[in-house]
Amino acid sequence: MSRHATAMSVAPAPLTRRAIFAQAWPIMVGQATVPLVGIVDTLVVGRTGDAAALAGVALGATIINLVFWSFGFLRMGLTGLVAQADGGGARREVEALLFRGIGIGFALGLALFALHVPITALALAMMSGGTQVSGEASAYVSARFFGAPAALAVYAMTGWLLGLGRTRDALLLQIVMNLANAGFDVALVWGAGLGAGGIGAGTAGAEWLALITGLAICSRIAGVGPLALLRRTPRADLLDPEALRRLFAVNRDLMIRTIALLFAFTWLANAGARLGATTLAANHVLLQFVSVSAFVLDAFAFTAEARVGQAIGAGSRERFLRSVRLTSEFAIAGGLVLAAIYWLAGGTVINLIVTDPATASIAVAFLPFAALIPLIGAPSWMLDGVFIGATQGKALRNAAVLTTALYVALDLTLRQTGNIGVWIAFTTTYLLRAATLGAYIPGLMRSIDGKDILANSASAP
């Protein structure tokens, strides 16, 4: 395989705080718009005063997140692999990874669309939403599956852009999708009165628009159109058995990891549903605060993914350690700022979003838990970024499975305490994630020192 530089690649910037922030801020802005879409969804439905519709969107969004983000490895796996190929100067592999990711994502999305009826029925049967809430959730979920092929292909393109350090292009893609989503939601719910189904249809339409936008962005970076880029990518590189084996090995472990963590969020939603539609809706509102924290602080985790991957591709232990330290400094500081904002202004935001007094009252009462999560969640999110950049899927998989098992056990133990037990158990998951991943740090360092990190990342157990 040819290993020469390309205009597509981004030469590693100096590892300074200024350079880290310059790379992270577009991701931060783009990531901040992701939970803002959830907030807009909540606002659009919440202002109608229909608690059942709001609970239906909450339940439906949980199902879609579980199904779609089970394939989040398309983003995470591509980022680490592309960063390592870019750090090693492997232009052809960088281009081949783009097509592998898009092709796999689109095919998986088509499969989800074909199976969406039984998937939706099975998911709703496992939830405790009640007849009215389940009906609203079904309308939302069915509409969202129309966007599945586009959504999964966009995951892959986003991972490719982040792996190259093209954070401003990733920001542009995210902004286009999220602005379109907000506009479609308002038109379909307030304009056409379609309720939860309109929220789902608006998001699906935005995902198809994002796919078209992403193809245009990638073509501009490559300097040729998608078909010309495909023609110049040798089939032998595109179908390289070793490259495909590594891609599927990393993605398999990341898929298991993602499913385990999403199961924890699904368990949280179901725990709220057991306590009634009002508590479910209130917990969904609080999860928007958690989402903002995760998505904003993930800007530094994503930066760590690219920087760690490039350091490993270049074989530099020094760059690896400095990348981890600098990105973590920003993440911890950001966690402190977000926690303070939530504590001081969270109640006001809740009352602006929700008009139902009972829902707002419960959300305000449990706001301190949401305010705590940016602080205790930052280490776990940063460790995710480090291990994703190192393509250490096995460690991510094992840590997530163990964390989820411990969380479920704790939630069952605290079930009799009501919603406070639900939030204690959920908040503890962030400590568990950091502890279980932290246990793998010594092994990761030995792999880097022994220069066998690439072999370890594709190992099977």
Side-chain angles (χ1 to χ4, degrees), residues 3-291:
R3 299 179 66 84
H4 49 279
T6 171
M8 182 183 301
S9 301
V10 176
L15 273 172
T16 63
R17 290 180 180 84
R18 182 186 296 272
I20 292 294
F21 187 76
Q23 185 173 345
W25 77 257
I27 309 175
M28 187 183 302
V29 175
Q31 287 292 97
T33 66
V34 175
L36 284 178
V37 170
I39 292 172
V40 169
D41 290 349
T42 303
L43 175 64
V44 169
V45 177
R47 297 299 296 181
T48 67
D50 189 342
L54 179 57
V57 171
L59 200 59
T62 299
I63 293 170
I64 286 296
N65 286 339
L66 175 63
V67 175
F68 280 26
W69 271 107
S70 295
F71 302 94
F73 61 79
L74 291 165
R75 203 287 301 163
M76 295 179 286
L78 260 289
T79 298
L81 291 170
V82 169
Q84 291 180 18
D86 189 45
R91 185 195 73 177
R92 289 182 179 174
E93 179 62 11
V94 169
E95 295 177 350
L97 281 165
L98 172 64
F99 289 110
R100 290 185 202 126
I102 292 175
I104 293 171
F106 200 86
L108 289 173
L110 287 175
L112 287 179
F113 175 72
L115 297 170
H116 78 274
V117 173
I119 291 173
T120 302
L122 177 61
L124 289 174
M126 297 172 63
M127 297 295 190
S128 307
T131 302
Q132 188 176 6
V133 172
S134 292
E136 295 284 354
S138 179
Y140 173 88
V141 171
S142 296
R144 283 295 307 271
F145 271 110
F146 281 92
L152 269 57
V154 169
Y155 288 174
M157 284 189 288
T158 301
W160 189 78
L161 292 170
L162 293 176
L164 287 176
R166 297 276 184 170
T167 56
R168 295 190 183 189
D169 291 304
L171 169 61
L172 175 61
L173 176 59
Q174 196 71 63
I175 287 176
V176 168
M177 181 167 65
N178 294 339
L179 286 178
N181 182 85
F184 291 157
D185 283 355
V186 170
L188 293 174
V189 177
W190 288 353
L194 296 182
I199 295 290
T203 304
E207 286 163 343
W208 282 104
L209 181 61
L211 175 61
I212 296 171
T213 303
L215 289 172
I217 290 172
C218 293
S219 297
R220 175 176 56 78
I221 292 172
V224 295
L227 293 179
L229 180 58
L230 181 60
R231 284 194 295 268
R232 88 180 187 193
T233 304
R235 182 169 298 181
D237 287 347
L238 191 61
L239 302 177
D240 183 334
E242 177 60 26
L244 287 171
R245 186 187 73 83
R246 185 176 178 223
L247 175 64
F248 282 108
V250 170
N251 285 346
R252 174 204 62 210
D253 289 335
L254 287 174
M255 182 177 186
I256 296 171
R257 171 256 184 199
T258 303
I259 291 173
L261 293 180
L262 288 173
F263 179 82
F265 279 90
T266 305
W267 187 276
L268 172 67
N270 201 38
R274 289 195 311 266
L275 300 174
T278 303
T279 300
L280 172 62
N283 286 352
H284 180 65
V285 172
L286 291 176
L287 278 177
Q288 306 314 309
F289 290 90
V290 177
S291 294

Side-chain angles (χ1 to χ4, degrees), residues 339-402:
I341 291 173
Y342 292 171
W343 187 266
L344 295 173
T348 301
V349 173
I350 289 170
N351 286 309
L352 286 174
I353 293 176
V354 181
T355 57
D356 178 60
T359 301
S361 176
I362 294 174
V364 170
F366 288 92
L367 177 63
F369 286 101
L372 181 63
I373 285 176
L375 286 176
I376 65 174
S380 66
W381 295 323
M382 286 306 304
L383 285 169
D384 277 348
V386 170
F387 280 88
I388 288 170
T391 58
Q392 295 294 288
K394 176 184 174 183
L396 289 158
R397 178 198 68 194
N398 293 348
V401 170
L402 179 58

